[in-house]
Amino acid sequence: MSNYKIDTLCVQAGYQPKSGEARIPPVVQSTTFFYEKTKDMADLFDLKSDGYFYSRLANPTVAAFENKVAALEGGVCAIGCSSGMAATSLAVFTVAGAGDNIVASSAIYGGSYNLFSTTLPKLGIECRFFDPDSPAEEIEKLIDGKTRLIFTETIANPAIIVLDFDKIAAIAKKHGVLFAVDNTLATPVLCRPKDFGANIVIHSSSKYLDGHAAALGGVIVDCGNFVFEGNDRYHSFNTPDESYHGLVYAQLPVAFGTKCRAQMMRDFGAVMSPQNGFISYIGCDTLALRMERHSENAKKVAAYLSAHPKIEWINHPSLKENKYHKTAQKYLPRGQGGMMSFGIKGDVEKCAAFMEALKMITQETHVADVRSCVLHPASTTHRQLSAEDLKKAGVPYNLIRLSVGIENAEDIIADLEQALKKV
Protein backbone atom coordinates (compact mmCIF):
# COMPACT_ATOMS: atom_id res chain seq x y z
CA MET A 1 0.00 0.00 0.00
CA SER A 2 3.05 2.26 -0.01
CA ASN A 3 1.93 3.92 -3.25
CA TYR A 4 -1.41 5.08 -1.89
CA LYS A 5 -2.03 8.65 -0.76
CA ILE A 6 -2.32 9.40 2.94
CA ASP A 7 -6.12 9.78 2.67
CA THR A 8 -6.43 6.26 1.30
CA LEU A 9 -4.03 4.80 3.86
CA CYS A 10 -6.16 6.23 6.68
CA VAL A 11 -9.06 4.09 5.45
CA GLN A 12 -7.36 1.00 4.00
CA ALA A 13 -4.08 0.38 5.83
CA GLY A 14 -3.48 -1.84 8.84
CA TYR A 15 -5.75 -4.81 8.29
CA GLN A 16 -6.59 -6.93 5.25
CA PRO A 17 -9.18 -9.64 5.88
CA LYS A 18 -9.06 -13.03 4.23
CA SER A 19 -12.08 -14.41 2.43
CA GLY A 20 -14.99 -14.76 4.83
CA GLU A 21 -13.34 -12.83 7.67
CA ALA A 22 -14.65 -9.67 9.31
CA ARG A 23 -14.08 -6.57 7.16
CA ILE A 24 -12.84 -4.54 10.12
CA PRO A 25 -10.54 -6.05 12.75
CA PRO A 26 -12.47 -7.83 15.50
CA VAL A 27 -11.76 -7.09 19.14
CA VAL A 28 -9.65 -10.00 20.35
CA GLN A 29 -10.42 -9.62 24.04
CA SER A 30 -8.09 -12.34 25.25
CA THR A 31 -4.97 -12.29 27.34
CA THR A 32 -3.60 -15.51 25.90
CA PHE A 33 -3.50 -17.69 22.78
CA PHE A 34 -3.63 -21.43 22.13
CA TYR A 35 -0.96 -23.51 20.34
CA GLU A 36 -0.87 -27.25 19.78
CA LYS A 37 2.88 -27.62 19.42
CA THR A 38 5.37 -26.70 22.12
CA LYS A 39 7.97 -25.69 19.55
CA ASP A 40 5.62 -23.12 18.03
CA MET A 41 5.36 -21.35 21.37
CA ALA A 42 9.10 -21.68 22.02
CA ASP A 43 9.86 -20.01 18.68
CA LEU A 44 7.54 -17.13 19.58
CA PHE A 45 9.29 -16.60 22.91
CA ASP A 46 12.69 -16.67 21.16
CA LEU A 47 11.48 -14.13 18.53
CA LYS A 48 12.12 -16.68 15.79
CA SER A 49 8.59 -16.40 14.40
CA ASP A 50 5.74 -13.90 14.37
CA GLY A 51 2.51 -14.43 16.25
CA TYR A 52 0.70 -13.90 19.51
CA PHE A 53 1.16 -15.67 22.80
CA TYR A 54 0.28 -13.08 25.45
CA SER A 55 -1.44 -9.71 25.04
CA ARG A 56 1.12 -7.94 27.22
CA LEU A 57 3.46 -8.11 24.22
CA ALA A 58 1.17 -8.26 21.20
CA ASN A 59 -2.50 -8.62 20.35
CA PRO A 60 -4.18 -8.97 16.93
CA THR A 61 -6.53 -6.01 17.42
CA VAL A 62 -3.77 -3.73 18.67
CA ALA A 63 -1.56 -4.98 15.83
CA ALA A 64 -4.10 -3.74 13.27
CA PHE A 65 -3.87 -0.26 14.78
CA GLU A 66 -0.07 -0.47 14.96
CA ASN A 67 0.12 -1.48 11.31
CA LYS A 68 -2.12 1.39 10.28
CA VAL A 69 -0.06 4.02 12.11
CA ALA A 70 3.20 2.52 10.81
CA ALA A 71 1.84 2.81 7.27
CA LEU A 72 0.71 6.39 7.83
CA GLU A 73 4.12 7.40 9.19
CA GLY A 74 6.11 5.38 6.65
CA GLY A 75 7.65 3.26 9.40
CA VAL A 76 8.71 -0.38 9.53
CA CYS A 77 6.75 -1.13 12.70
CA ALA A 78 4.74 0.48 15.48
CA ILE A 79 4.13 -0.37 19.12
CA GLY A 80 0.80 0.42 20.78
CA CYS A 81 1.12 1.66 24.35
CA SER A 82 -1.28 2.34 27.21
CA SER A 83 -0.87 6.14 26.87
CA GLY A 84 1.18 8.80 25.16
CA MET A 85 3.31 9.14 28.27
CA ALA A 86 3.95 5.40 28.24
CA ALA A 87 5.04 5.66 24.61
CA THR A 88 7.47 8.48 25.41
CA SER A 89 8.85 6.63 28.43
CA LEU A 90 9.39 3.33 26.61
CA ALA A 91 11.04 5.09 23.68
CA VAL A 92 13.57 6.68 26.04
CA PHE A 93 14.19 3.50 28.05
CA THR A 94 14.87 1.54 24.86
CA VAL A 95 18.05 3.54 24.26
CA ALA A 96 19.00 5.19 27.57
CA GLY A 97 19.94 3.96 31.04
CA ALA A 98 21.66 5.20 34.16
CA GLY A 99 24.59 7.45 33.27
CA ASP A 100 23.18 8.39 29.87
CA ASN A 101 21.50 11.62 28.81
CA ILE A 102 18.90 12.83 26.34
CA VAL A 103 18.58 16.26 24.76
CA ALA A 104 15.09 17.72 24.46
CA SER A 105 13.28 20.86 23.40
CA SER A 106 12.16 22.91 26.40
CA ALA A 107 8.89 23.74 24.60
CA ILE A 108 7.20 20.36 24.98
CA TYR A 109 4.06 19.06 26.66
CA GLY A 110 4.15 19.61 30.43
CA GLY A 111 3.86 15.89 31.21
CA SER A 112 6.86 15.11 29.02
CA TYR A 113 8.80 17.97 30.58
CA ASN A 114 8.12 16.62 34.08
CA LEU A 115 9.14 13.11 33.01
CA PHE A 116 12.41 14.39 31.62
CA SER A 117 13.24 16.96 34.31
CA THR A 118 12.06 15.14 37.45
CA THR A 119 11.55 11.40 37.01
CA LEU A 120 14.33 10.40 34.60
CA PRO A 121 17.08 11.96 36.78
CA LYS A 122 15.89 9.74 39.66
CA LEU A 123 16.69 6.78 37.40
CA GLY A 124 20.09 8.20 36.49
CA ILE A 125 19.12 9.61 33.09
CA GLU A 126 19.88 13.29 32.63
CA CYS A 127 17.87 15.55 30.33
CA ARG A 128 19.44 18.64 28.80
CA PHE A 129 16.90 21.15 27.49
CA PHE A 130 17.32 23.54 24.59
CA ASP A 131 15.30 26.41 23.21
CA PRO A 132 13.98 25.11 19.85
CA ASP A 133 14.72 28.50 18.31
CA SER A 134 18.39 28.36 19.35
CA PRO A 135 21.03 28.15 16.62
CA ALA A 136 22.38 24.70 15.85
CA GLU A 137 25.76 25.37 17.44
CA GLU A 138 24.12 26.13 20.80
CA ILE A 139 22.13 22.89 20.72
CA GLU A 140 25.19 20.87 19.70
CA LYS A 141 26.99 21.95 22.87
CA LEU A 142 24.57 19.78 24.86
CA ILE A 143 25.55 16.59 23.02
CA ASP A 144 28.34 14.38 24.32
CA GLY A 145 29.34 10.72 24.18
CA LYS A 146 26.54 9.73 26.55
CA THR A 147 23.71 11.35 24.56
CA ARG A 148 21.27 8.73 23.33
CA LEU A 149 18.29 10.69 21.99
CA ILE A 150 17.15 14.09 20.72
CA PHE A 151 13.46 14.65 21.51
CA THR A 152 11.20 17.32 20.00
CA GLU A 153 7.58 17.97 19.02
CA THR A 154 6.42 18.82 15.48
CA ILE A 155 4.05 21.41 16.93
CA ALA A 156 4.88 22.31 20.53
CA ASN A 157 2.08 21.94 23.07
CA PRO A 158 0.97 24.56 24.11
CA ALA A 159 3.47 27.12 22.77
CA ILE A 160 2.57 26.20 19.13
CA ILE A 161 6.19 26.38 17.99
CA VAL A 162 6.73 24.65 14.64
CA LEU A 163 9.85 22.52 14.58
CA ASP A 164 12.69 23.33 12.18
CA PHE A 165 13.26 19.71 11.14
CA ASP A 166 16.24 20.42 8.91
CA LYS A 167 18.17 22.00 11.78
CA ILE A 168 17.60 19.20 14.28
CA ALA A 169 17.95 16.39 11.73
CA ALA A 170 21.33 17.77 10.63
CA ILE A 171 22.54 17.86 14.25
CA ALA A 172 21.35 14.30 14.89
CA LYS A 173 22.95 12.97 11.72
CA LYS A 174 26.23 14.77 12.38
CA HIS A 175 26.57 13.20 15.83
CA GLY A 176 24.96 9.83 15.05
CA VAL A 177 22.18 10.38 17.60
CA LEU A 178 18.65 9.02 17.33
CA PHE A 179 16.11 11.74 16.45
CA ALA A 180 12.65 11.28 18.02
CA VAL A 181 9.64 13.47 17.26
CA ASP A 182 6.29 13.66 19.02
CA ASN A 183 3.91 14.15 16.08
CA THR A 184 0.67 14.20 18.09
CA LEU A 185 -0.59 17.65 17.12
CA ALA A 186 0.33 17.43 13.44
CA THR A 187 -0.44 13.77 12.69
CA PRO A 188 1.01 12.11 9.60
CA VAL A 189 -1.77 13.72 7.55
CA LEU A 190 -0.21 17.17 7.97
CA CYS A 191 3.44 16.20 8.50
CA ARG A 192 5.41 12.97 8.24
CA PRO A 193 8.58 13.44 10.33
CA LYS A 194 10.40 10.58 8.60
CA ASP A 195 10.39 12.63 5.40
CA PHE A 196 12.41 15.29 7.23
CA GLY A 197 14.98 13.08 8.95
CA ALA A 198 13.26 11.73 12.07
CA ASN A 199 14.04 8.17 13.17
CA ILE A 200 11.36 7.60 15.81
CA VAL A 201 7.84 9.06 15.83
CA ILE A 202 5.65 9.14 18.93
CA HIS A 203 1.93 9.84 19.28
CA SER A 204 -0.50 10.26 22.08
CA SER A 205 -3.16 8.38 20.13
CA SER A 206 -5.73 9.67 22.65
CA LYS A 207 -5.72 12.86 20.60
CA TYR A 208 -6.27 13.23 16.83
CA LEU A 209 -5.65 9.56 15.92
CA ASP A 210 -8.61 8.42 18.02
CA GLY A 211 -10.24 11.79 17.45
CA HIS A 212 -13.18 11.35 19.81
CA ALA A 213 -11.64 11.44 23.31
CA ALA A 214 -12.79 7.85 23.76
CA ALA A 215 -9.61 5.76 24.00
CA LEU A 216 -6.45 6.39 25.98
CA GLY A 217 -3.34 5.24 24.18
CA GLY A 218 0.03 5.97 22.66
CA VAL A 219 2.13 4.61 19.84
CA ILE A 220 5.83 4.47 18.95
CA VAL A 221 6.84 4.21 15.28
CA ASP A 222 10.25 2.91 14.21
CA CYS A 223 11.00 4.60 10.89
CA GLY A 224 13.68 2.00 10.12
CA ASN A 225 16.19 4.58 8.92
CA PHE A 226 18.77 4.57 11.72
CA VAL A 227 21.87 2.35 11.64
CA PHE A 228 22.63 1.00 15.12
CA GLU A 229 25.18 -1.58 14.04
CA GLY A 230 28.70 -0.36 14.75
CA ASN A 231 27.47 2.85 16.43
CA ASP A 232 29.40 3.12 19.70
CA ARG A 233 26.64 5.19 21.30
CA TYR A 234 24.31 2.21 21.32
CA HIS A 235 26.22 -0.49 23.15
CA SER A 236 23.03 -2.29 24.22
CA PHE A 237 22.07 -2.76 20.57
CA ASN A 238 25.46 -4.19 19.64
CA THR A 239 25.97 -6.64 22.48
CA PRO A 240 24.11 -9.95 22.96
CA ASP A 241 20.88 -9.88 24.96
CA GLU A 242 21.20 -12.94 27.18
CA SER A 243 17.49 -12.84 28.00
CA TYR A 244 16.98 -13.82 24.33
CA HIS A 245 19.86 -16.28 24.05
CA GLY A 246 22.40 -13.79 22.74
CA LEU A 247 20.23 -11.92 20.26
CA VAL A 248 21.97 -8.80 18.88
CA TYR A 249 19.34 -6.18 18.04
CA ALA A 250 21.56 -4.10 15.75
CA GLN A 251 21.76 -7.05 13.37
CA LEU A 252 17.98 -7.34 12.98
CA PRO A 253 15.99 -5.75 10.12
CA VAL A 254 13.94 -3.89 12.75
CA ALA A 255 16.33 -3.04 15.56
CA PHE A 256 14.65 -0.34 17.67
CA GLY A 257 11.11 -1.68 17.38
CA THR A 258 12.13 -5.23 18.29
CA LYS A 259 14.15 -4.14 21.32
CA CYS A 260 11.41 -1.80 22.49
CA ARG A 261 8.75 -4.51 22.40
CA ALA A 262 10.89 -7.48 23.42
CA GLN A 263 12.56 -5.75 26.37
CA MET A 264 10.65 -2.64 27.42
CA MET A 265 7.09 -3.75 26.78
CA ARG A 266 7.90 -7.17 28.20
CA ASP A 267 9.24 -5.69 31.43
CA PHE A 268 7.05 -2.59 31.92
CA GLY A 269 3.80 -3.96 30.52
CA ALA A 270 2.48 -0.56 29.41
CA VAL A 271 0.46 -2.14 26.62
CA MET A 272 -2.57 -0.77 24.78
CA SER A 273 -5.79 -2.64 25.49
CA PRO A 274 -7.56 -4.44 22.62
CA GLN A 275 -10.68 -2.31 23.04
CA ASN A 276 -8.67 0.92 22.86
CA GLY A 277 -6.75 -0.44 19.90
CA PHE A 278 -10.04 -1.08 18.10
CA ILE A 279 -11.43 2.39 18.86
CA SER A 280 -8.18 4.03 17.77
CA TYR A 281 -8.10 1.97 14.57
CA ILE A 282 -11.56 3.04 13.43
CA GLY A 283 -10.84 6.61 14.58
CA CYS A 284 -7.96 6.77 12.10
CA ASP A 285 -10.36 5.97 9.25
CA THR A 286 -11.54 9.60 9.24
CA LEU A 287 -8.24 11.21 10.26
CA ALA A 288 -7.56 12.89 6.90
CA LEU A 289 -11.06 14.38 6.75
CA ARG A 290 -10.92 15.61 10.32
CA MET A 291 -7.48 17.19 10.04
CA GLU A 292 -8.62 19.16 7.00
CA ARG A 293 -11.63 20.49 8.93
CA HIS A 294 -9.62 21.17 12.12
CA SER A 295 -7.12 23.19 10.10
CA GLU A 296 -9.75 25.14 8.18
CA ASN A 297 -11.67 26.01 11.34
CA ALA A 298 -8.52 27.02 13.23
CA LYS A 299 -7.44 29.31 10.41
CA LYS A 300 -10.79 31.15 10.61
CA VAL A 301 -10.73 31.34 14.42
CA ALA A 302 -7.13 32.58 14.45
CA ALA A 303 -8.00 35.35 12.00
CA TYR A 304 -10.91 36.41 14.20
CA LEU A 305 -8.91 36.44 17.44
CA SER A 306 -5.95 38.25 15.88
CA ALA A 307 -8.21 41.25 15.20
CA HIS A 308 -9.96 41.29 18.59
CA PRO A 309 -9.08 44.23 20.90
CA LYS A 310 -9.14 42.08 24.06
CA ILE A 311 -6.56 39.62 22.72
CA GLU A 312 -2.96 40.57 23.54
CA TRP A 313 -1.32 37.99 21.26
CA ILE A 314 -2.12 34.81 19.35
CA ASN A 315 -0.07 31.86 18.08
CA HIS A 316 -1.25 29.88 15.09
CA PRO A 317 1.01 29.19 12.11
CA SER A 318 -1.74 29.94 9.58
CA LEU A 319 -1.37 33.67 10.33
CA LYS A 320 1.07 35.35 7.95
CA GLU A 321 2.47 37.48 10.76
CA ASN A 322 3.14 34.39 12.89
CA LYS A 323 6.81 33.73 13.64
CA TYR A 324 6.52 30.16 12.36
CA HIS A 325 4.35 30.79 9.30
CA LYS A 326 7.14 30.17 6.76
CA THR A 327 8.36 27.12 8.64
CA ALA A 328 4.82 25.74 8.71
CA GLN A 329 4.44 26.29 4.96
CA LYS A 330 7.54 24.15 4.49
CA TYR A 331 6.71 21.29 6.83
CA LEU A 332 2.90 21.55 7.18
CA PRO A 333 1.66 22.65 3.75
CA ARG A 334 -1.66 20.74 3.95
CA GLY A 335 -2.76 22.62 7.06
CA GLN A 336 -1.48 23.69 10.46
CA GLY A 337 -3.87 21.77 12.68
CA GLY A 338 -6.49 22.80 15.18
CA MET A 339 -4.30 23.82 18.10
CA MET A 340 -3.60 27.44 18.99
CA SER A 341 -2.72 29.55 21.99
CA PHE A 342 -3.55 33.15 22.76
CA GLY A 343 -3.28 35.65 25.58
CA ILE A 344 -6.14 37.59 27.14
CA LYS A 345 -5.24 41.17 28.00
CA GLY A 346 -5.05 41.29 31.77
CA ASP A 347 -4.39 38.82 34.56
CA VAL A 348 -5.18 35.19 35.35
CA GLU A 349 -8.59 36.15 36.75
CA LYS A 350 -9.62 37.50 33.35
CA CYS A 351 -8.50 34.25 31.74
CA ALA A 352 -10.74 32.38 34.17
CA ALA A 353 -13.67 34.74 33.56
CA PHE A 354 -13.38 34.22 29.83
CA MET A 355 -13.22 30.42 30.00
CA GLU A 356 -16.08 30.18 32.48
CA ALA A 357 -18.26 32.34 30.20
CA LEU A 358 -17.91 29.94 27.27
CA LYS A 359 -21.05 27.94 26.54
CA MET A 360 -20.27 25.45 23.77
CA ILE A 361 -16.49 25.33 24.17
CA THR A 362 -15.62 23.46 27.35
CA GLN A 363 -12.70 23.46 29.81
CA GLU A 364 -10.95 20.10 29.55
CA THR A 365 -7.60 18.49 30.26
CA HIS A 366 -7.56 17.32 26.69
CA VAL A 367 -6.92 18.51 23.16
CA ALA A 368 -7.28 17.38 19.59
CA ASP A 369 -10.66 15.73 19.34
CA VAL A 370 -13.83 16.63 17.46
CA ARG A 371 -15.08 19.02 20.19
CA SER A 372 -13.60 22.47 20.81
CA CYS A 373 -12.09 22.91 24.26
CA VAL A 374 -9.87 25.29 26.23
CA LEU A 375 -7.40 25.07 29.10
CA HIS A 376 -5.20 27.38 31.16
CA PRO A 377 -1.88 25.44 31.09
CA ALA A 378 -0.02 27.51 33.72
CA SER A 379 -2.50 26.43 36.39
CA THR A 380 -3.14 22.88 35.09
CA THR A 381 -0.93 20.82 32.76
CA HIS A 382 2.14 22.97 33.49
CA ARG A 383 1.26 23.71 37.12
CA GLN A 384 4.36 21.93 38.47
CA LEU A 385 6.73 24.14 36.47
CA SER A 386 8.48 27.06 38.10
CA ALA A 387 8.06 30.59 36.72
CA GLU A 388 11.44 30.22 35.02
CA ASP A 389 10.52 26.85 33.49
CA LEU A 390 7.18 28.23 32.30
CA LYS A 391 9.06 30.98 30.49
CA LYS A 392 11.41 28.44 28.88
CA ALA A 393 8.43 26.36 27.79
CA GLY A 394 6.79 29.39 26.20
CA VAL A 395 3.85 29.37 28.62
CA PRO A 396 3.07 32.84 30.00
CA TYR A 397 0.44 33.11 32.73
CA ASN A 398 -2.17 34.62 30.41
CA LEU A 399 -1.86 31.82 27.84
CA ILE A 400 -5.07 30.03 26.95
CA ARG A 401 -4.81 26.87 24.89
CA LEU A 402 -7.64 26.42 22.40
CA SER A 403 -8.22 23.15 20.60
CA VAL A 404 -10.51 23.96 17.68
CA GLY A 405 -12.94 21.17 16.89
CA ILE A 406 -14.92 20.28 13.79
CA GLU A 407 -18.10 22.16 14.68
CA ASN A 408 -19.25 24.93 12.37
CA ALA A 409 -16.61 27.68 12.50
CA GLU A 410 -19.26 30.40 12.84
CA ASP A 411 -20.62 28.76 16.00
CA ILE A 412 -17.12 28.49 17.50
CA ILE A 413 -16.43 32.17 16.81
CA ALA A 414 -19.83 33.20 18.18
CA ASP A 415 -19.09 31.43 21.47
CA LEU A 416 -15.69 33.13 21.72
CA GLU A 417 -17.31 36.48 20.96
CA GLN A 418 -19.96 36.29 23.67
CA ALA A 419 -17.39 35.12 26.25
CA LEU A 420 -14.96 37.94 25.40
CA LYS A 421 -17.75 40.47 25.95
CA LYS A 422 -17.89 39.34 29.58
CA VAL A 423 -14.19 39.95 30.27
Side-chain angles (χ1 to χ4, degrees):
M1 284 195 172
S2 59
N3 294 327
Y4 289 134
K5 305 295 185 185
I6 194 79
D7 315 65
T8 303
L9 290 175
C10 284
V11 178
Q12 295 289 347
Y15 171 76
Q16 296 299 315
K18 297 177 183 177
S19 181
E21 291 185 340
R23 183 59 188 89
I24 62 172
V27 179
V28 181
Q29 193 65 54
S30 180
T31 60
T32 191
F33 302 85
F34 167 74
Y35 288 89
E36 290 183 347
K37 298 184 181 298
T38 303
K39 186 178 185 304
D40 290 343
M41 290 198 73
D43 286 345
L44 289 169
F45 273 87
D46 283 346
L47 307 182
K48 292 179 179 179
S49 63
D50 295 327
Y52 308 97
F53 56 88
Y54 197 55
S55 284
R56 177 159 53 81
L57 277 173
N59 172 279
T61 309
V62 177
F65 171 63
E66 293 170 339
N67 293 339
K68 177 168 284 197
V69 178
L72 292 174
E73 290 287 8
V76 294
C77 82
I79 300 166
C81 304
S82 57
S83 68
M85 286 305 303
T88 300
S89 299
L90 294 187
V92 172
F93 294 146
T94 301
V95 295
D100 296 332
N101 69 73
I102 65 171
V103 173
S105 166
S106 58
I108 54 176
Y109 166 60
S112 301
Y113 191 97
N114 286 329
L115 168 67
F116 294 167
S117 66
T118 303
T119 302
L120 289 187
K122 294 177 182 177
L123 303 175
I125 302 172
E126 179 190 3
C127 182
R128 301 168 179 179
F129 291 102
F130 63 87
D131 182 335
D133 290 333
S134 295
E137 53 268 24
E138 290 298 315
I139 299 173
E140 285 189 76
K141 292 177 182 178
L142 302 176
I143 297 173
D144 61 21
K146 292 290 187 178
T147 303
R148 303 291 180 252
L149 187 75
I150 300 176
F151 182 93
T152 62
E153 292 178 348
T154 303
I155 302 174
N157 176 13
I160 318 300
I161 295 171
V162 179
L163 179 66
D164 183 346
F165 277 93
D166 287 352
K167 178 175 69 175
I168 304 301
I171 294 171
K173 187 175 181 179
K174 177 180 177 180
H175 294 274
V177 178
L178 202 66
F179 177 20
V181 178
D182 185 325
N183 199 35
T184 297
L185 296 189
T187 81
V189 170
L190 302 183
C191 178
R192 204 156 77 161
K194 178 186 177 181
D195 295 342
F196 303 109
N199 310 120
I200 303 297
V201 180
I202 296 167
H203 286 273
S204 170
S205 60
S206 321
K207 310 305 189 296
Y208 285 127
L209 296 187
D210 160 25
H212 302 84
L216 197 66
V219 62
I220 307 165
V221 179
D222 181 350
C223 294
N225 56 355
F226 188 84
V227 179
F228 288 94
E229 192 166 14
N231 189 326
D232 293 337
R233 285 187 185 277
Y234 301 98
H235 180 73
S236 65
F237 281 78
N238 286 281
T239 54
D241 180 358
E242 297 307 326
S243 68
Y244 283 105
H245 307 293
L247 182 70
V248 178
Y249 294 105
Q251 297 175 356
L252 300 177
V254 181
F256 182 93
T258 302
K259 188 175 189 290
C260 183
R261 189 186 298 278
Q263 282 191 336
M264 299 305 122
M265 189 62 80
R266 176 196 67 188
D267 295 344
F268 287 95
V271 68
M272 175 177 279
S273 73
Q275 186 66 44
N276 284 1
F278 174 77
I279 293 171
S280 302
Y281 177 94
I282 60 176
C284 282
D285 289 350
T286 59
L287 180 62
L289 293 172
R290 287 186 285 105
M291 293 313 296
E292 181 179 350
R293 181 60 174 263
H294 282 296
S295 295
E296 288 177 354
N297 278 358
K299 185 176 182 178
K300 294 174 182 177
V301 171
Y304 160 76
L305 289 174
S306 67
H308 200 285
K310 292 185 180 179
I311 301 300
E312 183 178 328
W313 55 268
I314 178 168
N315 282 338
H316 192 263
S318 65
L319 298 169
K320 290 184 179 180
E321 64 271 23
N322 183 267
K323 182 178 180 180
Y324 304 99
H325 180 71
K326 288 184 178 180
T327 306
Q329 294 303 305
K330 179 178 181 179
Y331 300 116
L332 300 152
R334 288 188 54 158
Q336 291 76 53
M339 287 294 303
M340 67 180 66
S341 61
F342 59 91
I344 296 280
K345 288 182 179 178
D347 52 22
V348 175
E349 285 69 27
K350 288 193 175 182
C351 292
F354 163 74
M355 292 191 295
E356 291 170 5
L358 292 165
K359 295 179 179 179
M360 181 185 74
I361 303 169
T362 52
Q363 288 193 64
E364 298 176 21
T365 310
H366 200 254
V367 295
D369 64 61
V370 292
R371 289 161 287 273
S372 295
C373 62
V374 292
L375 194 71
H376 183 247
S379 61
T380 54
T381 57
H382 289 63
R383 189 179 185 88
Q384 295 87 356
L385 274 62
S386 65
E388 182 180 352
D389 285 340
L390 283 171
K391 185 177 180 180
K392 290 179 181 178
V395 185
Y397 278 102
N398 70 338
L399 183 150
I400 292 174
R401 184 181 70 184
L402 171 60
S403 177
V404 179
I406 63 171
E407 305 95 345
N408 187 284
E410 292 180 9
D411 290 332
I412 299 171
I413 291 171
D415 196 23
L416 294 169
E417 174 69 22
Q418 65 84 24
L420 284 167
K421 288 180 180 178
K422 297 175 182 178
V423 175

